[in-house]
Amino acid sequence: MNAGNVLAQFLPLVVFVLIFYFLFIRPQQTRAKRHKEMIESLQKGDKIVTSGGFIVEIVSSEEEFLRVRLNDETIARLSKEYVARKMDEEQATSGKTERQNESGNVAKNSKK
């Protein structure tokens, strides 16, 4: 009877840990894995968005850095850690980006 009492005391803690794992830890690990795969798949000519918001084109790839073109005359090195996302082909060619507003609708804005 005493062993059952101890199990009943620890059961809420175990349930809490499982809920925490499936709601927070596992989704973060999945996002990190997808991001790493995306960074490994980057190639010359791909357009990316940096963590700072710059839209750049990849010139070459090194082990830890990417050489990126900011404009026609400026080439810089960017740490792979600062790549936020890869731009879709449609977005890269048309200059349009999708943004979700407060109501949850997706609004398309074009650059001026």
Side-chain angles (χ1 to χ4, degrees):
M1 181 115 175
N2 195 12
N5 192 16
V6 171
L7 181 63
Q9 288 177 347
F10 284 113
L11 187 61
L13 180 63
V14 171
V15 170
F16 178 73
V17 168
L18 287 174
I19 290 172
F20 188 79
Y21 175 77
F22 284 108
L23 288 179
F24 297 107
I25 297 172
R26 191 154 186 227
Q28 177 61 33
Q29 289 174 338
T30 304
R31 270 184 253 127
K33 183 179 177 183
R34 280 196 322 246
H35 188 259
K36 182 179 178 185
E37 290 171 354
M38 182 268 304
I39 288 177
E40 290 173 355
S41 72
L42 292 174
Q43 300 175 353
K44 179 180 178 179
D46 287 344
K47 294 206 178 221
I48 59 172
V49 178
T50 68
S51 296
F54 290 108
I55 299 173
V56 297
E57 180 181 347
I58 297 176
V59 175
S60 67
S61 180
E62 300 171 5
E63 189 173 326
E64 295 182 30
F65 295 94
L66 296 170
R67 290 180 100 31
V68 296
R69 175 173 288 126
L70 299 172
N71 59 29
D72 292 335
E73 301 171 2
T74 308
I75 295 178
R77 288 176 66 196
L78 175 71
S79 175
K80 290 183 178 182
E81 297 173 6
Y82 292 98
V83 175
R85 65 183 173 90
K86 182 178 177 181
M87 291 189 66
D88 296 336
E89 292 297 324
E90 180 181 314
Q91 290 177 341
T93 56
S94 69
K96 293 182 180 179
T97 58
E98 289 187 3
R99 180 183 63 178
Q100 194 170 15
N101 59 20
E102 291 91 23
S103 65
N105 297 328
V106 175
K108 290 195 175 191
N109 295 329
S110 59
K111 294 182 180 180
K112 294 185 179 192

